[in-house]
Amino acid sequence: MRITFPHMGNLYIVGRGLFEYLGVDVVIPPPISKRTLKLGIEHAQEFSCLPLKINIGNFIEAAELGADTIVMSGGVGPCRFGYYAQVEREILKDLGYQYDVIVIEPPDTHFSELLQKIKYLSNGKSLWQVARAIRFGWVKARALDIVEQKVQKVRPRESVKGAADHVYQWALNKIDLAGDVKGVLDVQKLALEKLEAIPQEKDKPVLKIAIVGEIYTILEPFVNLDIEKHLGRLGAEVNRSIYLSEWVNDHLFLGLARMRSGKEARKFASPYLRHFVGGHGQETVGSTVRYAHEGYHGVIQLAPLTCMPEIVAQSILPVVSERESIPVMTIYLDEQSGEAGLLTRLEAFIDLLYRKTDWKKENIK
Amino acid sequence: MKAYLGIDVGSVSTNLVLMDQEQRILQTVYIRTQGQPILSIKKCLAMVMRENPGIEVKGAGTTGSARQLAAVITGADSVKNEITAHAVAASAMVPGVQTVIEIGGQDSKLIILRDGIVTDFAMNTVCAAGTGSFLDQQAARLGIPIEEFGELALKSTLPVRIAGRCAVFAESDMIHKQQTGYAIEDIVAGLCEALVRNFLNNLGKGKQLLAPVVFQGGVAANPGMRDAFARALNTKIIVPEYYHVMGAFGAAILAKEEVARKNGTSFRGFGTANLDISAKSQECTGCPNRCEIVSIVNGSRILARWGDRCGKWSGLSSPGSIVKEKDLMHA
């Protein structure tokens, strides 16, 4: 059994850590590239959203490296992603790839099923060993997010453009290579020190921009055309409504770890949206409200084109934007998205926020 | 005489505005880009040199989709996106403007201002329905010069209903109406209404379009479109005198602001028009992304590079870059 799973931002580092800890043979698909996208577009339905197309590309490229088993998350509610695992299995079968597909439904709704599947995937390891592997994956996920959040703060202020990303790339690689918990924590500490040492223009006026929206598009830089780097270079500090470890905590640990949670975001969504609308639609609305309360200057909503939950959220956001007085811009992404068009919009949005902000008042705060 | 330059290099046209220190327009240039931005920038500069030989340029600004390229070539002081440039220009021409409609060759924009500050905007670059290129195409198909296309619409007594959501469907609907005998002016007027509907549906959703409304960009020359907007919004539509070069005008104003901040200009001078500047594109083989890197070169000297995801090539021009210059071919 050689396991693979789709890319989604830094997920591959966590996945590799977890499976290798259990002694499972794991094949990470090559980094998402134009070829991945091309393979996906060629074999997926035109009207399906971008995550499906890239998943397909990932799986084809992983098969070329010898993967034979896919671990894929399922989903509940109106978001189409819930049955993508099944659709992808059928497409791959038609193409002649002999994949065994294991669908992990969100554990907060199907916990016993999850245990069964883990048992199958873990090569008969004891639950204790599985728990230790999950903890190891968790430590990596936390380290990645802690380092990334620091990078997001340094990017807009660094004197030499690209310095923070240089350290970030180094840290990603080191965290991926670390073989035990101590190793991961050491890298985390060192990375934070290195980031702290980067020369920065501390008193430069910096805008705070939040990215909200659909999880895949906000976590995967290939899909969102590196929006965070662009915003950083334009002088904005970025925070996201979803970080990998928060998602893991919400769904796998039932929110037991004390940190920002989806539940909290959903609370903020009231009175604008009180219902689950699938995907992260409700969290998008709630997070926008929360970021407005936290004094952010603007919010950017990201979603794959035709994403239903985010369309629902988008239709509610103008009211949120007005009442909470926070500018919101929505960007849909698909294989047609061009970086030039994105940059023009980002620049215009940043200009809008700069000219609107009373920096004298801001400094007193 | 002292003046400021604004250059707007768009997909369809390249525009230049020469403005004096009191923001009065001295010269405007409007030429077709024809897929050759470098050549058109040089042409524009040469035209200024010819008409205003004694001019002393205090600052230069660029905007439009080729703003980076234009900035590298001319040594511009400010490089700004089209939204900001158009908003600044509209505010200067029509103080107190609250809504700016801009329709150019391949994209359209809606900018909402309150108290002179942009509070919201929308841009339509995915769909070409309703932009200048489509109107051009339809005028050509009907054998009517584009300049007369709009006038024709004003003669209509009963604009026919045309499906305006998509340029392809609009065209087939127009042909259908034409083949069943509707008057050509009614069809043209119907098309204008459909395009306005398309614009308002796509860009205007969720936004309050308050007067004064300024309409600019190449399509503002079309009286049929002006009329259709006036009817749809039930208000007067203001078309500024220099509606076709507002982006360049905005760029000139932004350049003036920037020069005042930083003292002095980095404008290379009109000699640029004679330089041997060209663009080369190469594929970087450093990772599977295979980015297409564009290098802007003057003879053998590299002025700028972009197109990379990781920033290792575009970062080269910034002093103190981490990556040292290497030959791209051996990356």
Side-chain angles (χ1 to χ4, degrees):
Chain A
M1 182 172 67
R2 303 193 73 195
I3 287 179
T4 191
F5 53 89
H7 271 295
M8 181 173 77
N10 295 330
L11 178 67
Y12 72 98
I13 297 177
V14 179
R16 175 161 26 217
L18 191 149
F19 285 122
E20 283 185 353
Y21 204 90
L22 285 171
V24 178
D25 199 1
V26 54
V27 177
I28 306 293
I32 303 175
S33 65
K34 274 189 275 180
R35 177 168 185 263
T36 317
L37 183 60
K38 191 178 143 265
L39 288 169
I41 295 168
E42 228 167 77
H43 301 300
Q45 309 89 322
E46 200 271 333
F47 54 82
S48 51
C49 68
L50 198 53
L52 180 124
K53 294 172 188 172
I54 296 191
N55 286 172
I56 296 270
N58 284 156
F59 295 146
I60 293 176
E61 290 186 317
E64 290 167 358
L65 298 178
D68 58 18
T69 303
I70 291 172
V71 179
M72 174 80 185
S73 84
V76 290
C79 167
R80 284 183 283 176
F81 190 84
Y83 60 76
Y84 273 5
Q86 313 299 340
V87 176
E88 287 162 5
R89 184 210 327 260
E90 290 305 310
I91 293 175
L92 290 165
K93 207 163 86 185
D94 288 348
L95 291 172
Y97 294 99
Q98 301 303 321
Y99 261 125
D100 195 6
V101 182
I102 294 166
V103 188
I104 307 218
E105 295 298 338
D108 39 359
T109 50
H110 302 82
F111 203 76
S112 61
E113 200 186 301
L114 172 77
L115 289 180
Q116 252 176 11
K117 284 180 178 161
I118 287 180
K119 206 163 173 194
Y120 174 74
L121 286 172
S122 62
N123 262 342
K125 296 276 186 323
S126 71
L127 267 180
W128 167 243
Q129 281 165 308
V130 170
R132 281 177 57 99
I134 290 178
R135 171 164 175 263
F136 183 56
W138 167 252
V139 170
K140 285 201 172 188
R142 274 310 288 159
L144 290 166
D145 287 348
I146 289 168
V147 172
E148 191 182 7
Q149 285 173 355
K150 182 73 187 169
V151 169
Q152 289 170 327
K153 281 200 188 329
V154 177
R155 254 190 213 129
R157 298 179 174 90
E158 63 193 4
S159 313
V160 177
K161 290 285 162 223
D165 276 297
H166 199 67
V167 176
Y168 184 43
Q169 281 310 320
W170 170 87
L172 288 184
N173 192 27
K174 287 288 180 195
I175 292 173
D176 193 16
L177 291 174
D180 53 30
V181 170
K182 186 178 172 296
V184 178
L185 295 176
D186 285 347
V187 177
Q188 175 184 324
K189 188 160 163 275
L190 192 55
L192 291 179
E193 284 167 12
K194 282 186 174 210
L195 287 166
E196 197 49 57
I198 290 174
Q200 296 180 48
E201 298 163 43
K202 293 274 188 198
D203 42 356
K204 182 180 158 192
V206 164
L207 289 169
K208 283 165 80 179
I209 294 198
I211 292 184
V212 302
E214 188 273 333
I215 181 166
Y216 189 82
T217 35
I218 72 176
L219 288 184
E220 178 49 59
F222 181 88
V223 169
N224 64 37
L225 307 167
D226 268 321
I227 189 167
E228 289 192 26
K229 265 193 213 169
H230 287 306
L231 285 169
R233 285 177 202 167
L234 289 169
E237 182 184 317
V238 179
N239 194 280
R240 278 198 314 260
S241 61
I242 305 170
Y243 287 87
L244 200 55
S245 60
E246 288 172 358
W247 183 85
V248 171
N249 181 43
D250 274 355
H251 294 274
L252 202 60
F253 300 165
L254 314 168
L256 288 178
R258 278 216 185 170
M259 54 198 298
R260 207 174 65 166
S261 72
K263 200 170 149 195
E264 189 186 280
R266 286 190 292 277
K267 254 191 226 156
F268 276 108
S270 175
Y272 301 104
L273 177 59
R274 291 197 197 85
H275 298 275
F276 177 62
V277 293
H280 291 87
Q282 205 182 0
E283 283 88 338
T284 294
V285 172
S287 302
T288 305
V289 175
R290 193 186 53 212
Y291 283 122
H293 291 185
E294 287 174 5
Y296 275 73
H297 297 97
V299 170
I300 297 177
Q301 181 198 15
L302 293 184
L305 190 68
T306 71
C307 173
M308 204 278 286
E310 294 301 324
I311 290 173
V312 174
Q314 188 197 3
S315 64
I316 294 165
L317 285 178
V319 184
V320 179
S321 169
E322 198 188 320
R323 287 210 205 139
E324 310 285 342
S325 59
I326 186 161
V328 179
M329 177 168 71
T330 299
I331 293 172
Y332 284 107
L333 298 150
D334 73 349
E335 64 267 29
Q336 316 285 355
S337 302
E339 208 154 348
L342 176 76
L343 254 177
T344 301
R345 282 169 176 79
L346 293 183
E347 276 183 27
F349 192 61
I350 296 271
D351 271 355
L352 176 168
L353 300 178
Y354 258 116
R355 288 181 174 244
K356 188 170 168 292
T357 306
D358 185 348
W359 289 106
K360 276 186 202 135
K361 211 169 113 194
E362 199 82 2
N363 284 341
I364 296 165
K365 228 179 5 188
Chain B
M1 193 175 185
K2 289 169 179 169
Y4 295 91
L5 265 185
I7 307 171
D8 176 359
V9 190
S11 53
V12 174
S13 70
T14 299
N15 316 330
L16 179 147
V17 159
L18 188 67
M19 159 190 110
D20 72 8
Q21 281 170 307
E22 274 70 55
Q23 295 187 192
R24 282 180 305 237
I25 292 179
L26 304 172
Q27 184 186 355
T28 66
V29 179
Y30 182 102
I31 60 170
R32 295 252 162 183
T33 308
Q34 291 178 317
Q36 293 182 298
I38 297 176
L39 195 68
S40 16
I41 294 164
K42 285 185 176 178
K43 261 194 213 164
C44 283
L45 291 175
M47 283 161 88
V48 174
M49 235 189 332
R50 210 172 319 138
E51 228 175 276
N52 288 293
I55 210 84
E56 183 197 336
V57 175
K58 299 283 288 173
T62 62
T63 185
S65 45
R67 58 186 177 280
Q68 296 291 354
L69 179 69
V72 167
I73 295 175
T74 58
D77 303 294
S78 86
V79 189
K80 279 284 177 189
N81 62 84
E82 303 92 293
I83 303 276
T84 307
H86 277 282
V88 164
S91 288
M93 285 278 180
V94 184
V97 56
Q98 300 209 77
T99 305
V100 178
I101 294 166
E102 198 274 339
I103 307 186
Q106 271 184 8
D107 62 5
S108 40
K109 308 172 191 73
L110 174 65
I111 309 169
I112 307 293
L113 296 102
R114 297 288 182 265
D115 307 315
I117 290 169
V118 177
T119 57
D120 201 0
F121 65 88
M123 245 180 118
N124 176 14
T125 47
V126 184
C127 168
T131 61
S133 304
F134 180 59
L135 284 173
D136 255 1
Q137 214 178 54
Q138 292 313 312
R141 196 178 59 80
L142 296 170
I144 308 164
I146 184 71
E147 296 76 20
E148 291 165 29
F149 199 66
E151 294 290 342
L152 199 60
L154 298 184
K155 295 193 188 114
S156 157
T157 49
L158 183 75
V160 297
R161 201 164 171 86
I162 306 271
R165 177 148 301 156
C166 161
V168 178
F169 293 148
E171 177 164 341
S172 66
D173 207 21
M174 279 172 70
I175 294 174
H176 170 73
K177 295 274 160 46
Q178 165 200 323
Q179 303 301 61
T180 45
Y182 288 93
I184 193 97
E185 57 265 28
D186 289 342
I187 295 174
V188 172
L191 177 67
C192 290
E193 283 194 351
L195 297 187
V196 165
R197 217 165 39 236
N198 175 301
F199 180 95
L200 295 176
N201 283 341
N202 270 327
L203 304 186
K205 58 184 165 213
K207 298 184 178 40
Q208 247 192 321
L209 311 189
L210 302 178
V213 178
V214 168
F215 183 15
Q216 56 199 39
V219 174
N222 185 318
M225 289 293 285
R226 296 203 293 251
D227 209 46
F229 268 118
R231 258 178 290 139
L233 297 176
N234 200 18
T235 181
K236 207 180 108 208
I237 302 292
I238 304 163
V239 177
E241 188 186 349
Y242 298 103
Y243 64 88
H244 59 304
V245 291
M246 292 295 272
F249 180 46
I253 297 173
L254 288 163
K256 189 182 157 197
E257 285 178 11
E258 183 60 33
V259 169
R261 247 195 304 273
K262 71 171 193 186
N263 285 321
T265 179
S266 48
F267 180 60
R268 285 185 211 276
F270 289 102
T272 305
N274 304 321
L275 289 181
D276 174 29
I277 290 172
S278 60
K280 281 188 192 134
S281 55
Q282 285 152 306
E283 191 175 63
C284 172
T285 51
C287 82
N289 273 331
R290 303 275 158 146
C291 299
E292 292 143 12
I293 315 294
V294 176
S295 311
I296 308 300
V297 287
N298 172 19
S300 62
R301 206 164 72 88
I302 293 160
L303 298 177
R305 269 178 174 152
W306 52 70
D308 48 349
R309 276 174 169 265
C310 65
K312 75 173 173 186
W313 302 115
S314 47
L316 283 180
S317 49
S318 70
S321 159
I322 307 161
V323 184
K324 296 289 169 251
E325 175 126 17
K326 284 186 277 189
D327 191 354
L328 186 53
M329 298 306 281
H330 306 297

